[in-house]
Amino acid sequence: MSNNTHNVMGANSSPSVSTKGVRGLIDHYMEIPLDDDQGTITVEKMTPAKAKEHRNRVCLDIGRCFYENGMPFNIASSPAFVNMVRSIGNYGRDLKPPSAHELGTWILKEEVKTTTTFVDDIKATWKQTGVSLLSDESMYELKQPLQQMFVSTEWSNCAWAKKSDGIAVKKIVMDEVYFWPSVVYSMKTTRPLVHVLRLVDGEKELAMAYIYGAMDECKEKIAKNFDGDVGSYKEIWDIIDEKWENQMHRGLHAAAYFLNSRYRWSPDVSRHPEIKMGLYRCMERLLDQETNEKVDSQLDEFKYKRGLFGYNAALTSYLKRPPGIN
């Protein structure tokens, strides 16, 4: 390089320094994509619009993974899913995803170790507390042994028998007036409700087609558990009705019930007026006049198993297939 050129650049400049990636004045007015070896722009440095666009692209990739692999959507609510996404973000773009082989070998073994340690830590507390977590049903099965324990000589000679906590626990276990009847009441009312919750939370079948019928069956099972004694189950029925009417029930549930052949063709089908009313409300809202009339004319064929609904394929498979595939 000539001395003149050197003087123009300045004594402290160095021609060997690369200017790749250096932003000039015009670059402030242009979007310049980064090369693969330059890393990524952090979200904090993006404009809100650009950050939103970037997030949408990431979410589309995540969604595509769910759709192509038939993954249940409620996985997105799993703490493990959230932790996974956060860990990937913390690592950065150079993360090499685990292979199928790794997932089935060392990663699985490490997770088994973690889970085993977690369970062992919980079991270790049983020695201190003397109990494990019990469901109402398993607790009721242990009622007699528990009561026998508290009247045994071993308990009388135990230090806990003289402590306030021990006395309080014994009082609860021996209580035949309030405690054990409450356990029985809980068992009779929660079993049917848990069945409904599992139906709503599951993704093997479309819950919409079954939720109205499931709630109806739930109430009937509760009534049966109390041998039809209205005074025994009225309180829980009132609670269910309040939650159902104010928070859950929609015309779409009733319409789905009406159009579900498992219920419609059952001898125990409910004929409550709100079911057909819910159906017609949905038809009015979702269908144009011509389609509405066409569907209405086909309802009798569906109800009485005529036309396509009368074919052997429909009559023999409706209990095996989800509604809409009959």
Side-chain angles (χ1 to χ4, degrees):
M1 182 177 292
S2 67
N3 291 334
N4 291 337
T5 304
H6 179 75
N7 291 335
V8 171
M9 294 179 64
N12 295 328
S13 62
S14 174
S16 62
V17 177
S18 172
T19 59
K20 182 181 179 181
V22 176
R23 296 173 67 86
L25 293 176
I26 195 172
D27 293 330
H28 293 289
Y29 304 95
M30 299 178 62
E31 284 290 338
I32 299 180
L34 293 175
D35 295 334
D36 288 341
D37 61 349
Q38 288 183 268
T40 57
I41 300 176
T42 61
V43 175
E44 290 79 5
K45 295 181 180 179
M46 295 182 185
T47 64
K50 197 68 177 178
K52 182 179 180 181
E53 179 185 347
H54 186 61
R55 179 184 180 276
N56 287 348
R57 287 200 301 268
V58 174
C59 289
L60 285 171
D61 285 337
I62 294 173
R64 190 174 299 112
C65 177
F66 273 72
Y67 310 143
E68 291 183 357
N69 294 282
M71 298 164 61
F73 294 163
N74 57 9
I75 288 178
S77 302
S78 166
F81 176 80
V82 176
N83 287 338
M84 177 190 70
V85 173
R86 184 179 293 116
S87 294
I88 294 173
N90 288 339
Y91 189 98
R93 66 182 299 176
D94 295 327
L95 173 67
K96 180 181 178 181
S99 65
H101 176 72
E102 287 180 297
L103 288 170
T105 53
W106 73 267
I107 296 177
L108 176 60
K109 291 179 181 178
E110 286 298 317
E111 190 59 25
V112 169
K113 287 181 182 178
T114 301
T115 304
T116 301
T117 301
F118 176 74
V119 173
D120 288 343
D121 288 343
I122 294 177
K123 288 182 177 180
T125 65
W126 296 355
K127 298 178 181 179
Q128 301 172 356
T129 62
V131 296
S132 60
L133 293 177
L134 300 174
S135 66
D136 288 338
E137 187 170 353
S138 60
M139 182 186 296
Y140 190 74
E141 291 174 354
L142 294 173
K143 173 186 174 182
Q144 187 173 357
L146 282 171
Q147 290 183 333
Q148 288 178 346
M149 181 189 76
F150 281 108
V151 296
S152 66
T153 304
E154 289 82 355
W155 172 257
S156 300
N157 296 330
C158 174
W160 281 101
K162 301 174 179 62
K163 294 183 178 181
S164 59
D165 289 344
I167 295 172
V169 172
K170 178 181 178 180
K171 184 178 180 180
I172 293 173
V173 172
M174 303 304 292
D175 182 6
E176 296 283 0
V177 178
Y178 297 106
F179 177 70
W180 289 112
S182 296
V183 172
V184 173
Y185 182 86
S186 177
M187 290 166 53
K188 290 181 176 180
T189 56
T190 56
R191 280 180 185 171
L193 287 170
V194 168
H195 173 74
V196 176
L197 292 175
R198 286 176 175 170
L199 173 66
V200 173
D201 191 51
E203 296 195 5
K204 291 184 178 180
E205 292 185 306
L206 299 176
M208 179 60 71
Y210 300 98
I211 187 65
Y212 187 98
M215 288 300 299
D216 197 43
E217 291 172 358
C218 170
K219 292 176 61 178
E220 293 302 323
K221 287 179 181 177
I222 291 175
K224 184 178 180 181
N225 287 342
F226 289 100
D227 298 321
D229 181 7
V230 178
S232 297
Y233 65 78
K234 184 179 184 303
E235 181 180 7
I236 190 68
W237 264 38
D238 289 343
I239 294 173
I240 293 173
D241 288 342
E242 180 184 2
K243 299 297 183 183
W244 173 249
E245 293 296 333
N246 296 334
Q247 298 181 17
M248 296 179 63
H249 179 46
R250 298 292 183 271
L252 198 59
H253 292 123
Y257 177 86
F258 186 97
L259 297 174
N260 187 341
S261 52
R262 295 192 191 187
Y263 295 123
R264 177 50 44 186
W265 295 348
S266 168
D268 300 322
V269 61
S270 173
R271 304 188 185 280
H272 196 287
E274 73 172 3
I275 297 174
K276 201 163 188 178
M277 188 179 299
L279 171 66
Y280 278 100
R281 282 177 178 170
C282 288
M283 289 170 58
E284 288 285 339
R285 176 176 295 184
L286 301 175
L287 306 178
D288 58 54
Q289 184 64 29
E290 181 180 354
T291 307
N292 198 323
E293 293 176 359
K294 185 182 295 185
V295 171
D296 186 51
S297 66
Q298 294 175 345
L299 288 179
D300 280 345
E301 291 188 4
F302 170 64
K303 180 178 179 180
Y304 297 109
K305 307 176 190 176
R306 296 197 298 251
L308 291 175
F309 302 107
Y311 279 94
N312 187 59
L315 297 175
T316 57
S317 65
Y318 75 94
L319 292 175
K320 304 174 184 177
R321 296 184 179 185
I325 309 181
N326 294 333

